[in-house]
Amino acid sequence: MTQQLALVDCNNFYVSCERIFRPDLARVPMVVLSNNDGCVVSRSNEAKALGVKMGQPWFECKALAEEHGILAMSSNYALYADLSNRVMSILSEFSPRHEVYSIDECFVDLTGMPQLRELSYHMRERVGKWTGMPVCVGIGPTKTLAKLANHVAKKHPRSQGVFNYNALTAEQKNRLLQRLPVQEVWGVGRKLSQKLALHGVLSAHDLREAHTPTLRAEFGVVMEKTQRELQETACISLQELPTDKQQIISSRSFGSMVTDLPVLKDALSMFVANGCAKLRAQGSHARVIQVFLQTNRFRKDLPQYMPSLTVPLPYPTHDTLEVNRWADYLCERMFKPGYAYKKAGVMLSEITPVSQRQGDLLEPETTSNTRLMQAVDALNQRYGRGAVKVSTQGAYKDWQMLQARKSPHYTTDWQEVPMV
């Protein structure tokens, strides 16, 4: 039986989230900006038509925005995460086998189900009716072809948001792949497509028919897997459960330059809290902590300093208090006055399950705060992240992100729920 793998992708996800509670913006060209309102990370179709590019710095778009009335919004991650969870919950009702691939994409296995086209339209209708989120559905025998089918569903109005690659004849499949540039293939992109062009591979069809040994020798086994996926041989399996992270990085660019040590410690305290919460959520602990500081590398008129220190912990831990003490110590070691810091972060590595614990003959084991951390996580889950935090966290606002254009927390804050 041919695998019927559907990729359900939310259209212009961040922009669509903003429009759900602002129907007056339905036809307005708009974009959503990254941290500190820096770059464009989501565009409406109207903004795309005006020439706004993905990842383009916002200051480069201001003249175009003033001319055409393009509305810019700051990222509202709490809103986006909540709406994503609602969409994924709805999609999980259509099949017991599904994979949440990203915040706005989900693979759903529809193999063996009748009337796939009607089912796909029903899927779109339910997500749209229950959440207001527009989605497109692409169906294929492999993940790569499902991605391409979703691209067709988005770009061609005749598909009405649903495209089934498996329903095509062999001749129709050839014609479709010949029309699709190779850079539209999942995992290829612009830079790799330029290298493939040197070997005469310009379309998805060219990649499917390329000489496999040469392709593997030049581009590695990953490209061979992509080719076999285009040949309808599944090489990338469905991951129904997320794998545990082997490395956790928590970092952020500051809203304004930071020159004081207490402010840096305050920021690192929040990063440690977020990283350790992720460790506990997956039942793991870390043995190594790395702390780094960075000045603004784009400001050539300022002195540059980008230190980093790594320390192996005496015992693996997920205790926020313990890791925070080490982060403070490393920050004090690296800090130098006279520099304006723009970014800082914490990286936790050598992550293992809590059931695996290697002792140290020369280092006495410290008392674990497991019950305390469990209580903190339970309270934060009930009342919102940051409801309970370390005393050194949140004392300073100088480093917080710039979000001058942020929308309300429509679905995650009782004080900001829309009134009808």
Side-chain angles (χ1 to χ4, degrees):
M1 182 181 295
T2 302
Q3 183 175 234
Q4 306 284 355
L5 197 60
L7 175 63
V8 185
D9 188 6
C10 302
N11 301 341
N12 308 324
F13 181 62
Y14 288 179
V15 168
S16 297
C17 289
E18 299 290 348
R19 283 177 166 175
I20 287 174
F21 297 94
R22 291 285 307 275
D24 57 306
L25 301 178
R27 301 295 179 185
V28 176
M30 62 181 297
V31 298
V32 174
L33 305 177
S34 62
N35 291 352
N36 299 313
D37 296 344
C39 301
V40 175
V41 293
S42 182
R43 307 162 293 164
S44 67
N45 292 331
E46 295 82 5
K48 295 176 184 177
L50 292 173
V52 180
K53 298 180 177 60
M54 180 65 99
Q56 186 174 8
W58 176 240
F59 73 87
E60 294 181 1
C61 307
K62 286 187 176 179
L64 186 66
E66 292 177 0
E67 181 182 355
H68 297 282
I70 301 175
L71 176 65
M73 304 290 291
S74 301
S75 294
N76 188 342
Y77 299 118
L79 174 66
Y80 307 155
D82 183 67
L83 289 174
S84 173
N85 291 336
R86 294 171 188 237
V87 171
M88 302 309 167
S89 176
I90 294 170
L91 295 177
S92 67
E93 298 178 4
F94 287 88
S95 173
R97 297 194 69 236
H98 60 277
E99 174 191 344
V100 179
Y101 177 67
S102 67
I103 194 171
D104 62 341
E105 295 176 294
C106 182
F107 287 101
V108 182
D109 190 355
L110 303 178
T111 305
M113 298 186 184
Q115 300 179 327
L116 283 183
R117 190 167 185 83
E118 290 74 12
L119 179 62
S120 299
Y121 281 123
H122 179 51
M123 195 182 303
R124 290 190 72 225
E125 182 184 1
R126 178 177 292 185
V127 172
K129 186 175 182 179
W130 288 11
T131 68
M133 181 64 61
V135 300
C136 287
V137 182
I139 301 174
T142 65
K143 280 187 170 182
T144 301
L145 287 171
K147 271 271 194 180
L148 283 178
N150 187 277
H151 172 77
V152 175
K154 280 187 174 183
K155 297 297 182 181
H156 295 277
R158 287 180 57 188
S159 67
Q160 297 181 338
V162 173
F163 187 81
N164 187 353
Y165 182 87
N166 289 332
L168 303 179
T169 64
E171 184 180 352
Q172 289 172 329
K173 291 177 181 178
N174 287 334
R175 287 204 304 266
L176 173 64
L177 295 180
Q178 288 168 357
R179 294 174 182 173
L180 291 173
V182 70
Q183 69 184 43
E184 298 296 342
V185 176
W186 188 25
V188 175
R190 181 176 57 85
K191 290 186 177 180
L192 200 53
S193 66
Q194 294 173 352
K195 296 180 181 179
L196 287 168
L198 300 177
H199 296 268
V201 178
L202 303 176
S203 67
H205 182 269
D206 295 336
L207 181 58
R208 188 187 69 175
E209 302 300 325
H211 186 244
T212 302
T214 302
L215 198 66
R216 177 167 183 166
E218 291 290 332
F219 300 98
V221 68
V222 175
M223 185 59 69
E224 182 185 356
K225 287 184 178 180
T226 300
Q227 183 192 46
R228 295 194 183 280
E229 288 256 312
L230 290 174
Q231 295 170 350
E232 304 188 24
T233 300
C235 297
I236 308 173
S237 58
L238 201 67
Q239 296 182 355
E240 299 180 59
L241 296 175
T243 57
D244 289 344
K245 297 180 183 295
Q246 300 302 307
Q247 190 178 72
I248 293 176
I249 300 176
S250 182
S251 65
R252 187 177 297 172
S253 295
F254 304 144
S256 58
M257 299 288 193
V258 173
T259 57
D260 298 328
L261 178 60
V263 181
L264 283 175
K265 286 185 175 182
D266 184 79
L268 289 172
S269 180
M270 177 172 285
F271 302 152
V272 167
N274 293 340
C276 289
K278 292 178 181 178
L279 278 177
R280 295 191 292 271
Q282 68 178 31
S284 304
H285 49 201
R287 184 64 187 264
V288 174
I289 176 177
Q290 179 183 7
V291 176
F292 61 87
L293 308 174
Q294 293 180 5
T295 53
N296 191 342
R297 58 190 177 92
F298 298 104
R299 290 287 301 274
K300 303 302 181 183
D301 57 318
L302 296 177
Q304 300 296 313
Y305 178 51
M306 301 185 184
S308 173
L309 282 179
T310 304
V311 168
L313 302 175
Y315 285 91
T317 182
H318 54 211
D319 185 344
T320 300
L321 300 177
E322 179 71 18
V323 177
N324 194 58
R325 284 192 286 268
W326 282 101
D328 279 356
Y329 170 74
L330 295 177
C331 186
E332 290 175 358
R333 289 283 304 272
M334 292 185 294
F335 177 79
K336 289 184 180 180
Y339 291 95
Y341 298 95
K342 183 61 176 175
K343 185 177 182 179
V346 174
M347 181 171 69
L348 304 173
S349 55
E350 291 194 22
I351 296 174
T352 55
V354 291
S355 57
Q356 300 176 13
R357 187 176 180 86
Q358 178 65 49
D360 192 320
L361 292 175
L362 304 179
E363 187 72 28
E365 186 168 0
T366 58
T367 304
S368 176
N369 292 315
T370 302
R371 292 182 63 187
L372 174 61
M373 292 298 104
Q374 290 175 348
V376 169
D377 290 339
L379 289 170
N380 285 333
Q381 184 176 5
R382 181 174 180 180
Y383 296 105
R385 189 169 70 174
V388 180
K389 54 192 176 185
V390 180
S391 60
T392 57
Q393 181 183 331
Y396 299 91
K397 304 298 182 183
D398 301 357
W399 63 273
Q400 298 286 356
M401 284 194 304
L402 293 176
Q403 294 180 306
R405 308 162 183 266
K406 186 178 177 181
S407 58
H409 296 92
Y410 296 109
T411 63
T412 57
D413 189 335
W414 285 110
Q415 303 302 320
E416 299 183 4
V417 172
M419 301 296 292
V420 179

